[in-house]
């Protein structure tokens, strides 16, 4: 039941920005915490029954979470570090909820099937919803022909569906499931993949073949996988042209409604066809309509077809893409090109090149790791360093890579326990795939691990850690695979013959009743200690999650009322700052509101308070410099504007304001803010 409630929470997050806003995932984390605490106190955790690998992974993930909280002490923006640590706590709680209680195949497949089924239904709803959307809605949901609904970010949108598509695909091959279910899973995998393709995510496009290699290389049952993959791939390929036409054939950068209608129809037709083929094959297999000799021949023929298919794929890919060395060189050249997205060629977005600014993000992340190798920058503290050392015009908050985020933000002190915990969890999941007592349990473990693996592969070059609606299901899948791992073999008791003297002493101790009393006392202390530890930990976690959440709610409330009640808004922002004593966000918003009303004295005071919490904030420094210049405090203005330009060297606004101040003229705060607003609109 706790697992099913957590699954419902994951689906709820998926419907709204994939759980990215703090006001979405913080209360959800409190729900996960309540579920975990309830299960621990009512059911209890039998640590002795957990495999050693699971215990090691829990301990390492807990150490990584503790280090994330500790990094608040040296983070340049403590409020961001606190938020990042709380998000890490969410993933620890989710993993513990799904890994700490052993699962059977039936219960595990129920959890996985409910989540996958819900995601299939949601994907179908999204396809129908956008197909029936108005022109205005399409501009928001498919900007430039890329589906961003419901996450708001095209790459996260693709990952949302594909994390569920891989478990669906691998469940479709399970002999332990009824044939209608297997057909439904195969059709669902096609539907999820096609809706993901509507986002035209290059990350998903390149992560998919990597996942195919991993699945065939590492998971058993390759022929069964091949038999299911073929109709699914054919179905996806048959509708791909219509789906890609939505984004490749636009009218003044807007989606043509007829193309979208044809794509949605093709998606559903291909999904039903693939599901029907897999269901029919599963029915034939389960009815045993083929003799053993004929089945052996069919198996050999399938193996030969698999080899021929591999050769055909390699040859076809070579013919379509050309010389692989040339393609790799072109991809690398566009990836590291300083022009970013402009380095890509014309044609389909998926194949025109790898140009983006990620190379520069990764360069800065590695440089910061080299500069802070032990403790890192602090959780989620990448942005300020990129503003100072980056070369592109983007202002990323995160390095766009799970691995580089861990290295840059937490250093070796955080990366080592994170990697060790991941290795231990993968070992436990691998043991479940190989040695679980039930065939169904082995199939569910493989399907769950594939979903987590996709999140890791695609997240290696995107910022998926920050989307709770992606990360939480991924860690739940990893925990579910660990929960299916067989128990460790108990060591045999070895009889040891004691010397006569020691034997007498041991006998007298036993006769006196001291040993049973000591054991009873120890058990009593353990019974008292566990609830106390759980209660204290839950209380600390609740406070850590609740305070930033309530603070953000106050900020949002102030943002709704400031146009008609600026003083009320300022009072609420002061409450927000008190609730979250580490974040500068409330003071930045308060200063911006005061500027809009021309109260420069109040704005300067609020920006000064923001800088007390985050001394390297470029925006607050720039605004204070402009206010000082407008008030005639030239030396103070020069010092602040020079610092703002140093904190964000590529910002032309700060440089122009500094040059104006150097000439002896006064900087207009109103003109400065109009320039900032115009620049923000250009970056959308």
């Amino acid at each position: 039941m706790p697992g099913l409630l957590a699954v419902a929470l994951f689906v709820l997050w998926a419907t709204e920005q994939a759980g990215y806003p703090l006001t979405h995932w913080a209360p959800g984390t409190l729900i996960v915490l309540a579920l975990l605490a309830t299960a621990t106190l009512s059911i209890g955790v039998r640590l002795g029954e957990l495999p050693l690998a699971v215990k090691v992974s829990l301990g390492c993930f807990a150490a990584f979470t503790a280090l994330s909280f500790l990094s608040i002490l040296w983070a340049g923006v403590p409020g961001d570090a606190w938020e990042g640590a709380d998000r890490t706590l969410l993933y620890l709680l989710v993993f513990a909820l799904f890994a700490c209680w052993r699962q059977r195949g039936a219960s595990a497949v129920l959890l996985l099937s409910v989540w996958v089924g819900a995601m299939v239904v949601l994907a179908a709803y999204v396809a129908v919803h956008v197909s029936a959307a108005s022109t205005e809605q399409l501009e928001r949901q498919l900007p430039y022909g890329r589906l961003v609904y419901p996450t708001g970010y095209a790459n996260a949108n693709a990952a949302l569906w594909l994390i569920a598509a891989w478990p669906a695909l691998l469940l479709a091959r399970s002999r332990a499931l009824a044939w209608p279910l297997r057909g439904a899973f195969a059709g669902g995998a096609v539907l999820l993949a096609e809706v993901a393709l509507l986002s035209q995510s290059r990350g998903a496009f390149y992560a998919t073949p990597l996942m195919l290699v991993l699945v065939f290389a590492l998971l058993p049952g390759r022929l069964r996988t091949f038999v299911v993959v073929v109709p699914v791939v054919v179905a996806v390929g048959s509708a791909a042209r219509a789906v890609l036409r939505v984004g490749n054939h636009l009218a003044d950068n807007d989606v043509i409604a007829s193309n979208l209608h044809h794509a949605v129809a093709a998606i559903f037709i291909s999904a039903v066809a693939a599901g029907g083929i897999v269901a029919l094959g599963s029915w034939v297999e389960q009815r045993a309509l083929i003799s053993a000799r004929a089945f052996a021949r069919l198996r050999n023929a399938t193996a030969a077809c698999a080899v021929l298919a591999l050769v055909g794929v390699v040859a076809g890919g070579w013919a379509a893409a050309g010389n692989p060395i040339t393609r790799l060189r072109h991809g690398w050249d566009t990836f590291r090109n300083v022009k970013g997205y402009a380095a890509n060629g014309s044609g389909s977005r998926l194949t025109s090149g790898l140009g983006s600014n990620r190379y520069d993000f990764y360069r800065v992340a590695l440089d910061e790791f080299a500069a802070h190798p032990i403790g890192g920058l602090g959780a989620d503290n990448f942005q300020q360093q990129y503003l100072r050392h980056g070369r592109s015009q983007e202002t990323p908050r995160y390095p766009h890579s799970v691995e580089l985020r861990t290295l840059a933000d937490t250093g070796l002190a955080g990366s080592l326990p994170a990697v060790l915990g991941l290795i231990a969890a993968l070992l436990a999941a691998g043991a479940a795939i190989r040695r679980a007592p039930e065939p169904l349990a082995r199939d569910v473990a493989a399907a769950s691990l594939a979903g987590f693996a996709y999140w890791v592969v695609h997240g290696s070059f995107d910022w998926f850690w920050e989307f709770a609606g992606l990360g939480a299901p991924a860690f739940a899948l990893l925990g579910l695979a660990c929960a299916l791992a067989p128990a460790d073999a108990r060591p045999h008791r070895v009889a040891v013959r004691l010397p006569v003297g020691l034997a007498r002493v041991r006998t007298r101790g036993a006769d006196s009743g001291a040993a049973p009393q000591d054991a009873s006392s120890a058990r009593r202390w353990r019974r008292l200690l566990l609830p106390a530890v759980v209660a204290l930990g839950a209380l600390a976690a609740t406070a850590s999650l609740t305070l930033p959440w309530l603070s953000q709610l106050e900020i949002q409330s102030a943002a709704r009322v400031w146009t008609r009640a600026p003083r009320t808004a300022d009072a609420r922002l002061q409450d927000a700052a008190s609730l979250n004593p580490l974040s500068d966000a409330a003071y930045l918003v308060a200063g911006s509101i005061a500027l809009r009303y021309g109260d420069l004295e109040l704005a300067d005071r609020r920006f000064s308070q923001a800088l007390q919490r985050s001394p390297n904030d470029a925006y607050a420094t720039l605004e204070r410099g402009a206010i000082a210049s407008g008030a005639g405090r030239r030396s103070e203005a020069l010092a602040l504007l020079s610092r703002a330009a140093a904190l964000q060297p590529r910002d032309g606004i700060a440089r122009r304001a500094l040059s104006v101040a150097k000439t002896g003229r006064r900087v207009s705060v109103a003109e400065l803010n109009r320039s900032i607003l115009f620049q923000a609109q250009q970056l959308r």
Side-chain angles (χ1 to χ4, degrees):
M1 286 306 300
L4 287 173
L5 291 174
V7 165
L9 177 64
F10 301 157
V11 176
L12 181 63
W13 278 339
T15 63
E16 183 63 33
Q17 300 181 65
Y20 174 72
L22 172 65
T23 50
H24 292 182
W25 63 261
T29 307
L30 291 173
I31 294 174
V32 175
L33 176 62
L35 294 173
L36 182 60
T38 301
T40 301
L41 295 176
S42 61
I43 305 172
V45 179
R46 299 178 180 177
L47 292 176
E49 294 184 1
L50 289 179
L52 177 61
V54 176
K55 288 186 279 191
V56 170
S57 64
L58 284 167
C60 289
F61 289 153
F64 176 57
T65 305
L67 192 280
S68 297
F69 279 102
L70 193 62
S71 72
I72 296 172
L73 298 177
W74 59 81
V77 187
D80 288 351
W82 189 2
E83 182 177 332
D86 277 342
R87 193 182 289 107
T88 305
L89 175 63
L90 163 64
Y91 297 152
L92 171 65
L93 296 175
V94 168
F95 178 77
L97 179 64
F98 281 83
C100 283
W101 287 273
R102 304 288 304 281
Q103 294 278 357
R104 295 174 298 168
S107 60
V109 79
L110 174 63
L111 285 170
L112 188 56
S113 299
V114 168
W115 176 68
V116 170
M119 295 304 295
V120 171
V121 171
L122 182 59
Y125 168 78
V126 167
V128 173
H129 180 72
V130 297
S131 179
S134 64
T135 304
E136 240 179 65
Q137 291 173 324
L138 284 179
E139 290 178 0
R140 295 193 303 269
Q141 296 170 354
L142 283 95
Y144 302 103
R146 302 184 66 196
L147 179 66
V148 300
Y149 176 76
T151 67
Y153 176 46
N155 293 334
N157 222 59
L160 181 71
W161 312 121
L162 290 176
I163 291 174
W166 284 100
L169 176 66
L170 292 180
L171 284 176
R173 69 173 192 162
S174 176
R175 186 182 298 176
L177 293 177
W179 63 267
L181 272 178
R182 292 170 64 181
F185 282 129
V190 172
L191 179 65
L192 291 165
E194 295 286 11
V195 175
L197 191 58
L198 274 174
S199 296
Q200 292 213 11
S201 167
R202 286 183 298 186
F205 181 71
Y206 290 107
T208 298
L210 290 176
M211 279 296 302
L212 282 171
V213 171
L214 290 175
V215 164
F216 280 103
L218 301 179
L219 295 183
R222 294 177 180 85
L223 282 182
R224 297 186 65 81
T225 304
F226 173 76
V227 169
V228 173
V229 163
V230 168
V232 169
V233 169
V234 170
V236 171
S238 65
R241 184 175 181 181
V243 172
L244 291 176
R245 188 176 178 84
V246 174
N248 293 342
H249 295 76
L250 304 175
D252 296 326
N253 291 326
D254 292 331
V255 171
I256 300 173
S258 60
N259 289 343
L260 181 58
H261 297 156
H262 293 154
V264 171
I267 287 172
F268 282 102
I269 292 172
S270 61
V272 171
I277 292 172
V278 173
L280 178 61
S282 304
W283 178 78
V284 171
E285 180 188 32
Q286 292 181 352
R287 292 277 181 158
L289 300 179
I290 302 176
S291 65
R293 178 177 296 181
F295 185 80
R297 291 175 179 172
L298 181 61
R299 182 182 180 85
N300 293 335
T302 303
C305 290
V307 174
L308 292 175
L310 177 61
V311 174
V313 167
V314 172
W318 191 305
N323 189 327
I325 303 300
T326 304
R327 294 293 298 181
L328 287 173
R329 186 181 296 114
H330 171 71
W332 174 251
D333 290 341
T334 55
F335 175 66
R336 63 174 300 181
N337 196 302
V338 294
K339 295 180 180 179
Y341 295 97
N344 296 323
S346 58
S348 174
R349 184 182 187 279
L350 299 179
T351 57
S352 59
L354 298 177
S356 70
N357 294 312
R358 280 173 173 75
Y359 178 84
D360 199 45
F361 302 166
Y362 300 163
R363 177 189 62 81
V364 174
L366 289 173
D367 288 347
E368 293 306 317
F369 168 65
H372 310 86
I374 304 302
L377 298 168
D380 287 352
N381 265 242
F382 176 74
Q383 185 175 42
Q384 283 192 350
Q385 297 306 314
Y386 187 80
L387 293 178
R388 184 176 297 181
H389 303 296
R391 295 170 183 165
S392 75
Q393 293 302 313
E394 287 194 66
T395 58
R397 292 191 64 186
Y398 316 106
H400 285 57
S401 168
V402 174
E403 295 85 354
L404 290 178
R405 176 201 179 274
T406 306
L407 277 174
D409 289 357
T410 61
L412 291 175
S415 299
L416 288 177
V419 171
L420 290 176
L422 178 60
I423 291 173
L426 292 177
L427 289 175
I433 294 171
R434 295 189 310 272
R435 297 188 286 108
E438 305 170 272
L440 181 58
R442 295 194 290 270
D443 293 338
V444 174
S448 301
L449 188 58
F452 174 77
Y454 179 82
W455 179 81
V456 172
V457 171
H458 194 170
S460 297
F461 31 88
D462 224 317
W463 51 292
F464 290 165
W465 181 271
E466 288 69 31
F467 285 90
L470 303 180
F475 276 93
L477 292 173
L478 181 63
L480 186 61
C482 290
L484 293 164
D488 295 329
R490 295 185 178 275
H492 297 289
R493 294 187 177 182
V494 180
V496 180
R497 183 171 295 178
L498 298 175
V500 176
L502 290 178
R504 289 174 179 170
V505 172
R506 185 166 182 171
T507 303
R508 282 198 296 270
D511 292 341
S512 65
Q517 288 180 2
D518 291 343
S520 176
S521 177
R523 285 195 297 270
R524 188 162 54 251
W525 274 107
R526 283 198 297 269
R527 284 197 298 269
L528 294 174
L529 187 61
L530 178 61
V533 170
V534 170
L536 287 175
L539 184 62
T542 300
S544 179
L545 292 161
T546 302
L547 293 177
W549 171 38
L550 295 179
S551 175
Q552 189 63 32
L553 289 177
E554 289 288 350
I555 292 174
Q556 292 180 353
S557 175
R560 287 193 295 268
V561 303
W562 73 269
T563 53
R564 60 180 184 274
R567 296 302 176 188
T568 301
D570 187 74
R572 292 180 182 178
L573 290 169
Q574 296 311 298
D575 293 339
S578 300
L579 287 167
N580 189 341
L582 300 181
S583 175
D584 61 348
Y587 288 132
L588 291 175
V589 175
S592 300
I593 291 174
L595 285 177
R596 295 293 295 271
Y597 281 94
D599 192 342
L600 299 184
E601 182 181 351
L602 178 61
D604 187 57
R605 187 161 63 250
R606 295 294 180 248
F607 287 129
S608 177
Q609 291 171 316
L611 288 173
Q612 289 175 9
R613 294 187 174 184
S614 299
N616 294 327
D617 187 272
Y619 171 66
T621 305
L622 175 63
E623 293 289 5
R624 287 205 70 213
I627 293 171
S629 176
R633 303 191 299 270
R634 185 170 184 269
S635 59
E636 181 185 353
L638 286 173
L640 288 167
L641 292 174
S642 297
R643 178 164 176 75
L647 289 171
Q648 198 170 353
R650 302 181 313 284
D651 184 22
I653 296 175
R655 292 198 306 271
R656 288 194 298 272
L658 178 60
S659 65
V660 168
K662 283 181 176 179
T663 62
R665 292 177 293 162
R666 297 189 179 188
V667 176
S668 169
V669 176
E671 289 294 333
L672 177 81
N673 286 299
R674 276 195 288 270
S675 298
I676 293 174
L677 178 61
F678 176 77
Q679 181 173 281
Q681 291 172 339
Q682 296 300 111
L683 290 174
R684 287 181 181 177

